Amino acid sequence: VQLQASGGGLVQAGGSLRLSCVVSGRTFSISSMAWFRQAPGKEREFVTAINWTGDRTYYTDSVKGRFTISRDNAKNMVYLQMSSLKPEDTAVYYCAAQRPYSGSGFDQPLDYDYWGQGTQVTVSS
């Protein structure tokens, strides 16, 4: 399974970006997916996750109401729509995927089996 994230860039505070992550390979071997981010000098942190059917989503408090995760299993895609961006959202954003039956955890990097290469998001003030 390979994941490739795209869509990052430079945006002014208050702006929007849409990240995409395409899954290739043994796509039937993934279930929940997530976005994490890592700012310079900080640990990788959970942003949001979505289950296989897309009817359950989870968000870290700092992005609730501003970010929306979605997926299109027919296209093997997961998206992150980011609005009202703030300078503190600046980070490298990574998409991640779980194998089925990986357990109930969803907000730790160790909960995920596959990772994309990351895409840089920079929000200027």
Side-chain angles (χ1 to χ4, degrees), residues 49-69:
I50 187 168
N51 69 341
W52 168 252
T53 55
D55 60 344
R56 291 187 181 179
T57 57
Y58 310 90
Y59 296 91
T60 193
D61 287 344
S62 63
V63 308
K64 285 180 181 177
R66 300 189 299 122
F67 289 11
T68 302
I69 189 171

Side-chain angles (χ1 to χ4, degrees), residues 65-95:
R66 300 189 299 122
F67 289 11
T68 302
I69 189 171
S70 62
R71 68 189 294 170
D72 184 338
N73 291 335
K75 296 181 179 180
N76 298 319
M77 298 288 295
V78 64
Y79 306 98
L80 179 60
Q81 179 66 48
M82 306 185 293
S83 303
S84 302
L85 282 162
K86 305 175 181 179
E88 50 263 44
D89 295 318
T90 295
V92 177
Y93 283 70
Y94 299 89
C95 58

Side-chain angles (χ1 to χ4, degrees), residues 98-121:
Q98 280 185 342
R99 293 192 188 101
Y101 312 112
S102 294
S104 59
F106 62 88
D107 61 355
Q108 300 297 317
L110 288 178
D111 294 327
Y112 294 86
D113 304 289
Y114 308 106
W115 291 84
Q117 83 290 2
T119 185
Q120 176 71 47
V121 172

